Amino acid sequence: MQYVEPACRVAVGVVFLVAVLGKTRGRSAFAGFRGSVRGLVPLRPRASTALSGAVVLAEGCVVVLLAIPGTVRAGLVLAGTVLVGFCAGIVRAMLSPPS
């Protein structure tokens, strides 16, 4: 049982690390992510860029917080918050009428 917590911590950290790296590997990758954000949440270009940057920053913070032993709980809370935000955005997009 003592291996479950570190394994879950590593798994969540790796998922968020891959997400950050995928979005920041180049200008086109971030532009594609920003476009998908704009598709889910209709925003002006500046606002969608800010929201996209905030998502990448939050995901990066999750990775760092999970890597530091004293901040694991905060990292897991932030990870859960980010995932709830993703779910809310998806539900909103599914319930909105097609444009």
Side-chain angles (χ1 to χ4, degrees):
M1 206 59 180
Q2 67 188 14
Y3 300 108
V4 173
E5 186 270 331
C8 291
R9 190 169 124 193
V10 169
V12 171
V14 167
V15 167
F16 276 86
L17 179 62
V18 169
V20 169
L21 294 176
K23 292 176 184 107
T24 60
R25 70 177 181 263
R27 284 185 181 266
S28 63
F30 186 75
F33 172 61
R34 186 178 57 225
S36 69
V37 167
R38 205 176 298 147
L40 286 174
V41 183
L43 297 170
R44 288 186 242 143
R46 276 185 92 151
S48 68
T49 300
L51 178 59
S52 301
V55 167
V56 172
L57 178 64
E59 290 174 341
C61 287
V62 167
V63 173
V64 171
L65 290 170
L66 291 177
I68 301 170
T71 61
V72 172
R73 181 169 286 162
L76 292 173
V77 168
L78 181 57
T81 303
V82 169
L83 293 173
V84 166
F86 289 164
C87 290
I90 292 168
V91 167
R92 184 185 185 287
M94 290 175 66
L95 294 178
S96 66
S99 37

